[in-house]
Amino acid sequence: MYTMGYDITVGRYKVGMLDSVEIHKSVELLADTAEITLPGAQYNAALEVEDKLKRGDAVSVRIGYAETGLVEEFKGWLQSVSTDGGSIRLMCEDDLFTFRKSLGNVVLKGVTLASLLDRVIKELGLGYKVSCSYSWTYSKFVINNATGYDVLKKVQDESGADIYLKDRVLHIHPPGEVVGEERIYDFMLNVEEADLTYRKAEDKKIRVVVKALMPDGTVKELETGSTGGDKVEVKCPTSDEASMKARGELEVKRRSFDGYDGSLTTWLIPECRPGDSATLHDGDYPGKDGTYFIRSVTTSFSKEGGKRKIELGFRLS
C-alpha cells in the first residue's frame, strides 16, 4: 500500500489543504494545464486568496507516493482564480502562458517557419531555442493584433504538428516523429480500466482533402487516402505538391490503422507523458498486442487516489 503525498506551491505560498488537482497534457493542444481545487473554508473560516495570489504567479505541482518519491507533474503559471461553488479553483498553464503577449503588427515575406518562430521568441524576450522538422517558407505571413500564442496556434492548425516546450526548447515536429519513453501496460497488472475498441483500417477508411491558399486567392486541393472513405479537410501552409501530399498522408496515418481506439486508466506509476509510446499486452488476446503513440494524458490526484487517463493515438508497431 503506497502513501500518497503532494507538494504544491503557488507564488510565495505552499498549499496546505487540497481537495484535488487535475493535470491535462496533450500533443494536440498547445498548452498543458492544471486545475488545483482547494477547500473554500478551513476550520469553518472562509479562505481569502484573491489578495494573496495573482495572475502570472509561478506554480509547481509535485505529487506521487512517499515510498517512490514525489514527481513534478506540472510547472507553469497561474492563469485565473475562481471562488464560485464553495471551493477555490486555480487554473494554471505551462510555459506557453509566456507566449500570450502581443506582437508588433508586421507583414513578413519569404520567411521560413524556423525563422518566423525565432523572430517571435526574440520579440517576446523568452530565450528559447527552436527545434523544427519543417522546412517550408511562407510567401507571406501577416501578424496583426496577435500574440505569440496566436502565431503558434496558426502554425499548429495548418500543419497538424506536435508543438511543445521542453528544456527551454520550442519543438515543432510532425506527429509521432519524436517519440519519448516506452511505457508498458499489461491489462492484468497495471491497468485499472480500459475503454478500448479494436478496429481494422479497412473499417476506418479516410479520404483527406488538403487545401492550400494560393497567392492569387484561389485554393489548391490535393486528395489522398481511400476512395469512398470519410472525408476530412485539412489546411496546408504551403502549396507545393510534396508538402501537401505529406500533410495528407500524415492525417491518414493518424486516423486509419489496425489497432485500438480509446483510452486506458492506470495509476501514477509508471509515469507517462504525451508523446511517449504505450506498449499494450493482453494475455487473453496476444494477437492484439501493439505499441501506440500517446496523444494525451490526464492525471488526477485527490483523497480517492491518483490516476492517469491515457488517450491512445495512432499505432507505431
Side-chain angles (χ1 to χ4, degrees), residues 173-223:
H173 307 293
E177 179 185 85
V178 177
V179 180
E181 295 187 41
E182 181 185 25
R183 311 297 181 177
I184 299 175
Y185 298 100
D186 188 316
F187 287 92
M188 299 297 293
L189 298 177
N190 61 349
V191 175
E192 182 183 42
E193 182 182 354
D195 183 13
L196 298 170
T197 302
Y198 195 89
R199 303 183 189 278
K200 292 286 189 178
E202 61 191 30
D203 299 325
K204 300 186 293 183
K205 292 181 179 179
I206 299 293
R207 188 66 177 170
V208 177
V209 180
V210 184
K211 295 185 175 183
L213 183 63
M214 303 296 286
D216 61 2
T218 60
V219 176
K220 180 178 178 180
E221 296 187 3
L222 184 147
E223 295 190 10

Side-chain angles (χ1 to χ4, degrees), residues 1-6 63-70 268-269 301:
M1 189 72 175
Y2 286 119
T3 306
M4 296 177 61
Y6 65 87
I63 58 177
Y65 306 113
E67 291 79 3
T68 58
L70 303 185
L268 297 182
I269 299 174
F301 183 90

Side-chain angles (χ1 to χ4, degrees), residues 19 43 47 58 75 94-95 103 113 117 126 134-135 142 146 162 172 174-175 182 214 225 238 242 261 263 266 280:
D19 274 353
Y43 306 117
L47 295 178
K75 185 177 183 179
D94 73 355
D95 279 346
L103 298 168
L113 175 58
L117 298 174
L126 298 178
Y134 296 99
S135 58
V142 179
D162 293 344
I172 300 97
E182 181 185 25
M214 303 296 286
T238 182
D261 279 339
S263 65
T266 71
L280 308 187

Side-chain angles (χ1 to χ4, degrees), residues 51-66:
D51 59 341
K52 297 180 176 65
L53 306 179
K54 65 181 184 300
R55 177 181 170 86
D57 278 347
V59 177
S60 173
V61 178
R62 299 174 66 240
I63 58 177
Y65 306 113

Side-chain angles (χ1 to χ4, degrees), residues 65-277:
Y65 306 113
E67 291 79 3
T68 58
L70 303 185
V71 175
E72 187 172 54
E73 297 277 356
F74 179 86
K75 185 177 183 179
W77 310 90
L78 180 62
Q79 190 174 35
S80 64
V81 179
S82 171
T83 56
D84 299 329
S87 60
I88 301 168
R89 294 196 303 276
L90 310 181
M91 307 303 298
C92 313
E93 195 172 70
D94 73 355
D95 279 346
L96 262 298
F97 177 83
T98 60
F99 281 76
R100 293 185 181 274
K101 299 176 183 177
S102 296
L103 298 168
N105 294 341
V106 65
V107 176
L108 302 172
K109 295 184 178 181
V111 60
T112 65
L113 175 58
S115 60
L116 169 67
L117 298 174
D118 276 329
R119 179 189 177 98
V120 169
I121 288 170
K122 289 177 182 177
E123 184 172 344
L124 297 179
L126 298 178
Y128 291 100
K129 294 182 179 180
V130 174
S131 176
C132 178
S133 302
Y134 296 99
S135 58
W136 71 67
T137 297
Y138 288 100
S139 57
K140 183 171 72 173
F141 194 98
V142 179
I143 299 177
N144 182 39
N145 295 326
T147 65
Y149 189 96
D150 294 331
V151 171
L152 294 182
K153 188 68 170 65
K154 176 178 173 63
V155 171
Q156 186 180 54
D157 288 345
E158 293 182 342
S159 66
D162 293 344
I163 300 181
Y164 56 93
L165 292 168
K166 182 179 180 180
D167 300 328
R168 303 299 297 174
V169 177
L170 175 64
H171 291 266
I172 300 97
H173 307 293
E177 179 185 85
V178 177
V179 180
E181 295 187 41
E182 181 185 25
R183 311 297 181 177
I184 299 175
Y185 298 100
D186 188 316
F187 287 92
M188 299 297 293
L189 298 177
N190 61 349
V191 175
E192 182 183 42
E193 182 182 354
D195 183 13
L196 298 170
T197 302
Y198 195 89
R199 303 183 189 278
K200 292 286 189 178
E202 61 191 30
D203 299 325
K204 300 186 293 183
K205 292 181 179 179
I206 299 293
R207 188 66 177 170
V208 177
V209 180
V210 184
K211 295 185 175 183
L213 183 63
M214 303 296 286
D216 61 2
T218 60
V219 176
K220 180 178 178 180
E221 296 187 3
L222 184 147
E223 295 190 10
T224 187
S226 301
T227 302
D230 293 339
K231 185 177 178 180
V232 177
E233 293 187 357
V234 297
K235 298 178 182 178
C236 186
T238 182
S239 59
D240 67 277
E241 291 202 9
S243 296
M244 294 181 70
K245 183 178 180 181
R247 178 71 177 94
E249 291 176 345
L250 177 64
E251 202 64 30
V252 172
K253 177 182 177 182
R254 293 174 67 176
R255 296 172 180 263
S256 182
F257 53 87
D258 289 349
Y260 285 112
D261 279 339
S263 65
L264 52 93
T265 301
T266 71
W267 294 278
L268 297 182
I269 299 174
E271 294 180 44
C272 182
R273 298 177 179 83
D276 287 348
S277 64

